[in-house]
Amino acid sequence: MEATTECAADPRGPRGHVELIDGWLWSDGPQQCFHGVMTDLLTTGLRGAAPPALRVRRQMTVVIDEHHAPEPDVMVVRAAAVRGADQTHFLVRDVLLAVEVVSPLSEARDRDTKPRKYAAAGIPHFWRVEMAGADDHPVV
């Protein structure tokens, strides 16, 4: 699968998605093209590789507790936890992999806060994807 550098306007508008971390609401604003391309590639690749007992979802809330409801860029959840098209969140116990694509506005949360929160909540796997090197290639 080849990444493209084309990028459309973010349909979520300037506010972006909102997450609850440590009781605070965080909004990252518009995302860079790298973020969208990596999120698309990871979602597509994981969906193609996931067994029937698992589902891949992107940018949905994970309820950890009353003070923590982050929104991983991509996640792998148990298929039994998928309830329907109107579903807005998953419980942390159903998340097996959380993926964060690092953005300039969320760098500290993606590198430090979220990995610690996910691990403490019992999510067994975490991937962080960043741009690296002179050619800004993705690194997991």
Side-chain angles (χ1 to χ4, degrees), residues 56-77:
V56 177
R57 295 294 182 261
R58 58 182 285 159
Q59 299 172 323
M60 287 189 67
T61 299
V62 176
V63 176
I64 294 175
D65 59 33
E66 64 184 25
H67 300 288
H68 300 93
E71 191 176 281
D73 294 310
V74 181
M75 65 182 139
V76 176
V77 299

Side-chain angles (χ1 to χ4, degrees), residues 5 11 71 76 91 101 106 113-114 118 131:
T5 57
E71 191 176 281
V76 176
L91 300 178
V101 179
S106 66
T113 305
K114 287 182 175 185
Y118 293 151
M131 284 192 292

Side-chain angles (χ1 to χ4, degrees), residues 3-123:
T4 177
T5 57
E6 292 182 33
C7 187
D10 188 336
R12 297 173 298 180
R15 188 182 72 144
H17 63 115
V18 177
E19 304 176 281
L20 179 66
I21 300 174
D22 291 328
W24 290 87
L25 288 176
W26 294 91
S27 176
D28 295 334
Q31 299 291 339
Q32 294 176 333
C33 286
F34 174 83
H35 187 277
V37 169
M38 287 301 104
T39 301
D40 288 344
L41 288 172
L42 288 164
T43 300
T44 301
L46 286 168
R47 282 185 178 151
L54 302 177
R55 297 290 184 271
V56 177
R57 295 294 182 261
R58 58 182 285 159
Q59 299 172 323
M60 287 189 67
T61 299
V62 176
V63 176
I64 294 175
D65 59 33
E66 64 184 25
H67 300 288
H68 300 93
E71 191 176 281
D73 294 310
V74 181
M75 65 182 139
V76 176
V77 299
R78 291 179 176 82
V82 177
R83 296 183 308 274
D86 61 343
Q87 185 170 357
T88 60
H89 68 276
F90 289 94
L91 300 178
V92 70
R93 68 175 178 244
D94 294 313
V95 180
L96 303 174
L97 168 66
V99 180
E100 295 293 346
V101 179
V102 176
S103 297
L105 293 175
S106 66
E107 190 172 347
R109 289 189 310 277
D110 291 344
R111 287 185 175 165
D112 181 53
T113 305
K114 287 182 175 185
R116 287 186 297 106
K117 300 293 183 188
Y118 293 151
I123 295 176

